[in-house]
Amino acid sequence: MSDEIGYKAINLAFEKGKLHKDNTLWIDFVGGETFLDFQMLQTMVSYVEAKNKDYGYSLLFSTTTNATIFNQDILNYLIEKEFTLKISIDGDQETHDMNRVTTSGAGSFDIILKNLKYIKEFEERTGKVVQVTNVVTENNYKKYYESLVFLTQELGLRYIDTGVDLSIKWTDEQIAVLEKEIERSFDYFIDCAKNNQGFRWEFADKVVNLKKQERKKFYSCGAGIVSSYVRTDGGVYACPGYLDSSVELGNVTKKIEKERIRKLVNFRGIDNPKCESCDISQYCVEQSCIMQNLAGTGDVNKPLKIFCKMRKLMHKIHVDNEEIISHLVM
Ligand code: SF4
């Protein structure tokens, strides 16, 4: 991203921030790989801080990195600016290197292992837990449980969030295997909690809070209304999970299409008879995730099969473990 686009994106965020009552401006740097141009990140943070003298927002900075580029200076800077940090590791060396390779084709696991000391130091010095994303895809889903154990036990990571590859047409057989892996992982999660070795796992958060988070009658996450993402070409998008030009909300160098934002504001749910008659409809946010539906099925009214199945699995695990869940402090 050029500095010019970056400045314009920030100017837009400052102006739109006035429309929200929380007086908070959260700037999230995501890639590609953010640290490829750490200089630019620093330039933008300085710009935000200087500009904020006229606005007085509470500022939040966060970034996601694949942890292949790290050093003490980067670490000190992130700590000084009170960043929240998210990294991507899929599992053990074999699992990670299946999909995350350098431009020369070599696996990147060894580099990450070397840089893990910075992640640990970040956690020790800030008291903040680094969120780790592992992505489940066609060639690693059978090792989901193993990967979760590895990340939490071998690497000692305390906050795992799992992404699912939406580009795959997941078959029923593959989903059935993944469901077993996740059920096993939930048992492991509970055992760890009982043995005072608890960790945070996004899937378990959703299981535990399933009934607390009843689906609201509007667009659930507010993407495009309370948050937006800017691409390197200046295109503004509601959700980083779907950056197709068909859903561009405008461009920081030209104009923002208010009509497109209005459509998101007025969204009241999908039109899907199967979801309407579903037993767990009231607890299912998959229905209202417009961008996820578009990215996965091309149809705003059609949730992806894998997310539908995962939501049903969350409900099943919740019901099966209601007694234990009532004792968990999340
Ligand atoms: S679980 Fe599936 S069928 Fe039920 S409401 Fe959610 S997406 Fe629709």
Side-chain angles (χ1 to χ4, degrees):
M1 183 183 278
S2 68
D3 286 359
E4 190 206 344
I5 299 270
Y7 293 138
K8 287 195 164 140
I10 287 165
N11 292 345
L12 182 71
F14 268 94
E15 274 313 297
K16 296 295 176 193
K18 287 184 194 164
L19 300 171
H20 301 280
K21 291 186 188 140
D22 64 1
N23 200 43
T24 300
L25 185 62
W26 177 5
I27 308 283
D28 186 24
F29 296 90
V30 292
E33 172 46 41
T34 325
F35 294 175
L36 280 171
D37 192 355
F38 197 69
Q39 181 58 51
M40 197 239 180
L41 181 146
Q42 290 174 287
T43 304
M44 291 304 129
V45 169
S46 299
Y47 183 66
V48 168
E49 287 177 332
K51 198 171 172 72
N52 199 40
K53 292 197 175 106
D54 295 332
Y55 286 80
Y57 290 123
S58 293
L59 295 177
L60 298 171
F61 294 112
S62 60
T63 188
T64 302
T65 174
N66 61 25
T68 55
I69 302 167
F70 231 121
N71 58 43
Q72 197 64 40
D73 290 342
I74 292 178
L75 174 72
N76 291 342
Y77 184 83
L78 297 178
I79 293 172
E80 183 198 329
K81 299 299 176 187
E82 299 184 0
F83 264 74
T84 298
L85 184 60
K86 193 168 168 178
I87 60 168
S88 319
I89 313 179
D90 287 339
D92 63 13
Q93 178 144 30
E94 190 194 339
T95 307
H96 184 86
D97 287 348
M98 278 177 192
N99 301 314
R100 296 185 188 268
V101 292
T102 64
T103 45
S104 67
S108 58
F109 185 83
D110 282 337
I111 309 170
I112 292 170
L113 209 58
K114 189 169 63 67
N115 288 336
L116 204 61
K117 61 177 184 286
Y118 298 117
I119 308 301
K120 298 284 178 190
E121 191 178 332
F122 179 92
E123 290 188 331
E124 276 163 28
R125 285 172 57 191
T126 63
K128 291 183 197 164
V129 179
V130 173
Q131 184 177 340
V132 177
T133 299
N134 65 338
V135 176
V136 177
T137 186
E138 215 163 19
N139 59 8
N140 67 17
Y141 69 98
K142 290 182 184 165
K143 290 180 66 173
Y144 184 78
Y145 165 78
E146 217 177 284
S147 297
L148 189 71
V149 173
F150 178 84
L151 292 172
T152 51
Q153 297 229 330
E154 298 298 319
L155 300 190
L157 298 164
R158 310 313 308 156
Y159 182 6
I160 313 296
D161 181 18
T162 301
V164 176
D165 187 347
L166 303 187
S167 66
I168 294 166
K169 274 208 168 313
W170 291 91
T171 65
D172 287 340
E173 291 73 23
Q174 287 172 325
I175 294 174
V177 172
L178 183 57
E179 283 173 336
K180 287 266 170 291
E181 288 287 304
I182 289 178
E183 284 190 273
R184 205 173 157 205
S185 299
F186 191 82
D187 291 342
Y188 163 70
F189 168 81
I190 294 292
D191 285 345
C192 289
K194 281 181 183 163
N195 295 324
N196 285 329
Q197 292 178 330
F199 59 93
R200 186 165 174 202
W201 178 34
E202 202 77 8
F203 184 89
D205 282 2
K206 289 177 186 163
V207 168
V208 171
N209 296 314
L210 191 100
K211 292 188 178 171
K212 288 186 206 147
Q213 293 178 332
E214 286 204 23
R215 185 171 65 85
K216 312 233 176 10
K217 293 272 180 251
F218 56 82
Y219 185 44
S220 65
C221 70
I225 303 167
V226 299
S227 61
S228 61
Y229 281 78
V230 180
R231 270 173 45 155
T232 50
D233 63 1
V236 179
Y237 292 83
C239 172
Y242 193 45
L243 301 172
D244 189 87
S245 56
S246 62
V247 291
E248 193 180 81
L249 298 174
N251 191 294
V252 295
T253 61
K254 296 171 200 147
K255 67 168 193 165
I256 299 302
E257 305 287 344
K258 287 188 180 156
E259 246 340 283
R260 294 188 185 168
I261 296 176
R262 206 160 287 133
K263 267 193 189 167
L264 297 176
V265 173
N266 291 332
F267 180 80
R268 290 292 176 273
I270 61 172
D271 179 10
N272 185 317
K274 206 173 136 202
C275 291
E276 260 170 51
S277 61
C278 173
D279 289 346
I280 64 161
S281 178
Q282 80 220 72
Y283 307 124
C284 179
V285 292
E286 309 309 337
Q287 302 166 76
S288 54
C289 194
I290 306 176
M291 296 303 156
Q292 183 178 277
N293 294 354
L294 282 172
T297 66
D299 182 349
V300 87
N301 294 313
K302 202 168 163 206
L304 262 173
K305 180 165 73 173
I306 186 144
F307 287 122
C308 171
K309 295 258 190 185
M310 286 301 131
R311 190 59 56 173
K312 286 177 176 165
L313 179 64
M314 282 172 202
H315 184 259
K316 177 183 176 297
I317 295 177
H318 182 98
V319 171
D320 290 350
N321 293 277
E322 215 137 17
E323 167 63 20
I324 297 170
I325 285 172
S326 67
H327 297 293
L328 282 177
V329 180
M330 301 287 284

